[in-house]
């Protein structure tokens, strides 16, 4: 199986490839739990480009790189030229000459796609206005760890309640790619667009999964093994808050009343950051069936798995003899030019 270079969209990968990535993440997590994370990326560098703020993505990628023996650079707007003062093409080519991998959180999906098209090192998508693939791979890892007794991945019922966000798009795609049964519950105006529905319906034909959309949140959660929600509004949508609040509140808030309508084993998930008391209540966030902090921790293990999957096979491993030869040449240079 030949590997793809970039991680931009789970749709670029087959079910088998996604499962192989997930297997690697789980192997590395087990090593980490025994304080045995191998330094597989020793000497490697990661450029982290952020056009938006981040807690989880920024910290988990940097710590992952450090624990794998590498180094991460945090590059935010105002610090580098990213489509301003020089072309994105030039920036992408130049960064590729310095580092072994790029992770980018960009405002527009087209920016990360263009980075991947032009970079000569792997590019990992750390969230765009369209999708959030690293998050949803982490979410599947988390679901597997909290699988309802006796259920296989292909039997999981996953329900997303709320707005058709970039997270929702990625989640419905990966779940249906892997053969799960996905329900979206939200008001008509904020349901997934036709283009996304077409993709997930194709996924279901191939995988045996299923997909449905409903305006009824109680119906949506009735068989759920996992209920997932996300913010109802984002930075830049402040003017829409009254309208959005009216559309979602109180019907689509994940509170104990709604959570109790799901099977008693159902777990609560949120990619965070959350607006407590808005799309979800404290009572649900902090209950013993909430797995939000396991999910957040798994971002670290997921980033390690992704970095190793995409970078490790590309690293050059020169022989000890070659290393000694070059060290000797540098030592000779100093002996010849600066004799003691
Ligand atoms: N879930 C997530 O991507 O969080 P951050 O925005 O904090 O990175």
């Amino acid at each position: 199986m030949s590997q793809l270079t970039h991680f931009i969209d789970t749709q670029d990968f087959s079910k088998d490839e996604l499962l192989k990535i997930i297997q690697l993440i789980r192997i590395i997590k087990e090593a980490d739990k025994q304080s045995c994370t191998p330094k597989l990326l020793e000497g490697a560098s990661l450029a982290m480009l952020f056009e938006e703020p981040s807690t989880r993505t920024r910290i988990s990628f940097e710590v992952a790189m450090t624990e794998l023996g590498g180094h991460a650079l945090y590059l935010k707007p105002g610090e580098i030229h990213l489509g301003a003062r020089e072309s994105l093409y030039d920036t992408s080519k130049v960064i590729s000459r310095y580092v072994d991998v790029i992770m980018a959180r960009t405002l527009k999906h087209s920016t990360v796609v263009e980075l991947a098209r032009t970079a000569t090192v792997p590019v990992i998508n750390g969230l765009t206005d369209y999708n959030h693939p690293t998050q949803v791979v982490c979410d599947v890892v988390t679901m597997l760890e909290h699988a309802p007794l006796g259920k296989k991945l292909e039997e999981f019922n996953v329900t997303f309640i709320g707005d058709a966000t970039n997270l929702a798009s990625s989640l419905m795609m990966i779940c249906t790619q892997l053969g799960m049964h996905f329900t979206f519950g939200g008001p008509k105006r904020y349901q997934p667009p036709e283009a996304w529905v077409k993709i997930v319906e194709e996924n279901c034909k191939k995988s045996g999964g299923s997909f449905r959309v409903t305006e009824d949140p109680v119906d949506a959660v009735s068989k759920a093994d996992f209920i997932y929600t996300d913010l109802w509004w984002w930075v830049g949508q402040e003017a829409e808050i009254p309208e959005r609040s009216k559309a979602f509140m109180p019907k689509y808030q994940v509170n104990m009343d709604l959570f109790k309508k799901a099977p008693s084993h159902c777990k609560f998930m949120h990619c965070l950051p959350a607006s407590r008391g808005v799309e979800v209540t404290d009572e649900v966030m902090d209950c013993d069936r909430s797995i939000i902090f396991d999910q957040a921790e798994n971002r670290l293990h997921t980033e390690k798995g992704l970095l190793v999957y995409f970078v490790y096979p590309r690293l050059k491993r020169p022989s000890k003899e070659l290393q000694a030869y070059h060290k000797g040449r540098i030592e000779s240079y100093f002996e010849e030019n600066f004799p003691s």
Side-chain angles (χ1 to χ4, degrees), residues 50 53-58 105 126-127 132 135 271-273 299:
F50 280 93
S54 161
T55 299
R56 281 141 289 269
T57 307
R58 184 241 196 274
R105 169 168 291 191
L127 176 70
H132 199 356
Q135 177 67 55
C271 59
L272 307 179
R299 285 298 302 273

Side-chain angles (χ1 to χ4, degrees), residues 115-131:
L115 272 174
R117 194 184 68 78
T118 52
T120 52
V121 294
V123 175
I124 298 175
N125 175 354
L127 176 70
T128 70
D129 59 352
Y130 172 59
N131 67 355

Side-chain angles (χ1 to χ4, degrees), residues 177-221:
Q177 281 183 279
L178 297 177
M180 298 185 211
H181 305 282
F182 191 92
T183 303
F184 183 97
K188 196 121 204 111
R189 176 152 183 214
Y190 298 96
Q191 289 177 357
E194 195 49 45
W196 300 3
V197 174
K198 272 198 182 132
I199 295 171
V200 297
E201 283 177 351
E202 279 304 311
N203 286 347
C204 291
K205 276 188 211 156
K206 281 190 212 146
S207 69
S210 66
F211 174 74
R212 72 188 183 101
V213 177
T214 173
E215 279 187 88
D216 180 353
V218 175
D219 173 36
V221 304

Side-chain angles (χ1 to χ4, degrees), residues 151-163:
K151 275 202 176 183
K152 292 189 301 187
L153 183 79
E154 291 81 0
E155 294 166 332
F156 292 179
N157 291 305
V158 179
T159 292
F160 185 93
I161 297 285
D163 184 17

